[in-house]
Amino acid sequence: MINPKTIRKQPDMVKAKLETRGVDPSEVDEYVTLDQQNRDTLTKVENLKKEKNQLTKKINAADPKSEEGQALIKQVKEMNANIDSMAASQKETADRLHYIAVRLPNLPADDIPVGPDEDSNVEVRKWGDLPEYDFKPKAHWEIGENSDILDFDRAAKVSGARFVYYKNAGAKLERAVYNFMLDLHTEEQGYQEIIPPYLVNSKTMFGTGQFPKFKEDVYTVESTGVTLIPTAEVPLTNYYSNEILDEADLPIYFTALTPCFRSEAGSAGRDTRGLIRMHQFNKVEMVKYSKPEDSYKELEKLTRNATDILERLELPYHVITLSTGDTGFSSAKTYDVEVWMPEQKVYREISSCSNCLDFQARRAMIRYRKEDGSVDYVHTLNGSGLAVGRTVAAILENNQQADGSVRVPKALQPYLRGVEVIK
RNA sequence: GGAGAGUUGGCAGAGUGGUAAUGCACCGGACUCGAAAUCCGGCGAACCGCCUUAUAAGCGGCGCGCAGGUUCAAAUCCUGUACUCUCCUCCA
């Protein structure tokens, strides 16, 4: 959530910034009006309550059964009717205010490109030489099916579209990739390894910003109301919800491998083949809790932690800054890391690294106590490190050879018991 | 799935209708060369509103897991619900 005081004090700035994210300025206007109205009635209600509390104390001091007591009770009863109706109207205003507030996206950072969609994204750096082939490179699903290491048809039979069976060397490759990632994050980059719950409650989904606005993107179990996580960001960031951390403990780094479940509503027809867009996929996630003054520095570091993996796997990539219109709901600034996919000759998103500032911390009530004793919201960051299925796809395509076999990157070979080529 | 117990301030822990004890911790002061001990005082998270340029202070609201209800008045009574623990049942 955006700091309510920021909206109250700088409505024009908020309006202008949110407009770059596609928010209708009239929403902010309505918010400001309701906020004023809410505080006005709240003050009135509180003053009445104050009076009432004083009378109630008098009743207790006198004998409630005495004539004086009875008279006071009558008086308070009359007040109550008044307070109740005023409080009811105040609550109505507050509810509407809340309804708007929880649906406003985060304020974009000052230094990100302004634009309506991904066409305004800006490349910030590029790494690796694009591979050249003396044959026509195949798509990863073709390689996978030919080698009997990926099976989409049977997954469709058993589950539906956008599911896959990994088989044999495919399953082993997936396992090698995520073990490699986790080891790098934990042994070299300072992350604590977590295995979180994969089903979470609605409060948790609210905390990171998926609820209430994006319910249709996830799978919720009807009988109990719990939701299958769309990303490990959800359980990792909410780990400290409703807690006050010590300043000395920050920053905190978490990493986790989890399956991610997404309904992919609205993406019908896109990426219908291959591992790119699945209803269920593995992802290694990184989450950070940081002091406010350090969060942008931590974002740079986080993004490097993700691209490190690609460099060690010898996969060409570039990093882009998402424009205001393309940046996710909770984020103020996002770098996408995109890996080269030779068959389609495009860069595809393989990681998304975001600084959410205090936006999620406000929703999930994650704070820290400074050394001077005061309490403030932490900043939360998250990034994929990396999407495992897409990494496998990138390895298959980038390392394919004319005979249909696939070279295993050196860094990965120890994780495959020294296997150098998948046939 | 069945039965029971519990949830109060940073921690421990009292409070069964009259407006949140007490201890430890913490903060300030006294004593002391200094510290400990002792004594005195303060402080009970967080949140919201008013006041303020802003902060602090001050005033007020809220506040005993959460949400409702009864009542002039609810930690206390009633209903629902979440979580934790114990026992039974079942189970990887």
Side-chain angles (χ1 to χ4, degrees):
Chain A
M1 254 172 340
I2 302 172
N3 187 344
K5 285 183 181 146
T6 306
I7 308 180
R8 191 179 300 161
K9 286 179 186 158
Q10 306 174 63
D12 292 334
M13 181 277 283
V14 171
K15 247 190 283 185
K17 283 200 154 194
L18 289 187
E19 201 171 0
T20 69
R21 304 201 53 168
V23 175
D24 186 341
S26 68
E27 264 189 77
V28 180
D29 286 330
E30 189 189 357
Y31 178 95
V32 171
T33 309
L34 288 171
D35 179 51
Q36 186 61 52
Q37 192 183 322
N38 182 47
R39 280 179 298 128
D40 287 347
T41 43
L42 190 60
T43 304
K44 282 182 197 156
V45 170
E46 286 185 355
N47 286 336
L48 283 174
K49 279 187 177 173
K50 176 185 170 187
E51 243 180 276
K52 175 193 158 172
N53 285 343
Q54 284 166 347
L55 284 178
T56 309
K57 270 180 196 157
K58 261 195 204 168
I59 294 173
N60 186 28
D63 181 357
K65 284 177 191 144
S66 70
E67 211 172 297
E68 188 196 353
Q70 287 299 311
L72 285 168
I73 287 174
K74 203 179 161 202
Q75 200 182 335
V76 174
K77 273 187 180 177
E78 281 165 15
M79 280 191 82
N80 272 345
N82 201 356
I83 294 175
D84 285 348
S85 75
M86 202 176 283
S89 101
Q90 184 267 327
K91 187 175 181 297
E92 224 172 276
T93 311
D95 285 349
R96 175 69 190 153
L97 197 58
H98 185 252
Y99 181 92
I100 297 172
V102 300
R103 284 167 176 78
L104 292 175
N106 203 355
L107 292 171
D110 289 326
D111 64 345
I112 71 172
V114 175
D117 51 38
E118 66 269 18
D119 292 336
S120 309
N121 296 343
V122 173
E123 182 179 80
V124 291
R125 60 195 174 87
K126 202 180 218 175
W127 183 91
D129 299 321
L130 302 187
E132 286 173 22
Y133 305 91
D134 46 15
F135 58 95
K136 190 179 183 308
K138 295 187 174 75
H140 65 273
W141 57 85
E142 210 179 332
I143 303 167
E145 282 171 341
N146 290 345
S147 323
D148 197 27
I149 60 175
L150 297 176
D151 190 335
F152 294 96
D153 293 340
R154 290 196 175 86
K157 176 180 72 178
V158 170
S159 298
R162 299 198 190 287
F163 286 94
V164 68
Y165 282 96
Y166 288 81
K167 283 178 77 180
N168 305 319
K172 283 189 192 294
L173 180 59
E174 174 95 358
R175 192 149 58 88
V177 166
Y178 61 62
N179 282 330
F180 165 72
M181 291 175 182
L182 286 170
D183 282 353
L184 184 62
H185 293 319
T186 57
E187 310 292 331
E188 296 185 35
Q189 297 171 343
Y191 290 80
Q192 302 178 57
E193 184 168 351
I194 306 276
I195 301 179
Y198 302 155
L199 286 163
V200 298
N201 59 32
S202 300
K203 260 188 195 168
T204 302
M205 291 294 283
F206 176 83
T208 26
Q210 285 78 16
F211 280 7
K213 226 179 160 180
F214 306 101
K215 286 197 166 142
E216 60 292 340
D217 294 340
V218 296
Y219 293 109
T220 298
V221 179
E222 220 170 83
S223 56
T224 60
V226 290
T227 298
L228 282 157
I229 56 170
T231 159
E233 169 198 347
V234 175
L236 292 185
T237 302
N238 281 283
Y239 183 81
Y240 285 120
S241 62
N242 287 308
E243 294 194 33
I244 299 179
L245 307 170
D246 278 333
E247 178 168 17
D249 293 335
L250 296 174
I252 294 169
Y253 295 178
F254 284 160
T255 187
L257 161 76
T258 70
C260 303
F261 302 92
R262 300 186 183 179
S263 71
E264 293 299 339
S267 61
R270 276 197 289 161
D271 307 315
T272 49
R273 301 203 67 182
L275 293 172
I276 300 300
R277 196 172 297 277
M278 304 265 98
H279 288 308
Q280 175 197 322
F281 60 95
N282 286 321
K283 179 159 60 69
V284 173
E285 183 75 2
M286 304 175 283
V287 159
K288 290 185 173 186
Y289 301 82
S290 139
K291 288 192 263 185
E293 62 268 28
D294 294 336
S295 64
Y296 278 110
K297 186 187 80 193
E298 292 289 353
L299 176 64
E300 298 301 322
K301 210 168 144 192
L302 179 79
T303 309
R304 291 281 173 186
N305 291 157
T307 54
D308 254 13
I309 295 170
L310 291 172
E311 293 183 16
R312 296 196 192 206
L313 294 178
E314 304 159 52
L315 294 169
Y317 69 89
H318 73 169
V319 179
I320 58 179
T321 308
L322 298 191
S323 72
T324 51
D326 205 23
T327 300
F329 181 76
S330 299
S331 174
K333 178 173 185 173
T334 299
Y335 290 120
D336 268 10
V337 179
E338 299 186 322
V339 70
W340 179 251
M341 296 298 280
E343 192 269 340
Q344 292 184 312
K345 295 190 169 55
V346 290
Y347 286 104
R348 292 305 305 248
E349 176 188 340
I350 199 165
S351 173
S352 194
C353 302
S354 297
N355 184 0
C356 299
L357 307 179
D358 61 357
F359 187 86
Q360 293 179 323
R362 271 176 203 285
R363 294 178 153 245
M365 290 292 279
I366 310 165
R367 291 161 296 175
Y368 75 109
R369 196 179 303 279
K370 300 188 205 176
E371 272 163 36
D372 66 9
S374 64
V375 172
D376 197 7
Y377 293 100
V378 301
H379 281 191
T380 60
L381 299 95
N382 63 79
S384 355
L386 309 163
V388 180
R390 291 186 178 184
T391 306
V392 166
I395 291 171
L396 293 179
E397 289 198 16
N398 281 278
N399 294 5
Q400 61 180 298
Q401 306 183 102
D403 63 357
S405 65
V406 175
R407 281 180 297 104
V408 176
K410 272 224 155 43
L412 225 46
Q413 289 172 9
Y415 290 88
L416 283 166
R417 301 194 169 209
V419 170
E420 291 174 17
V421 175
I422 295 172
K423 287 179 182 155

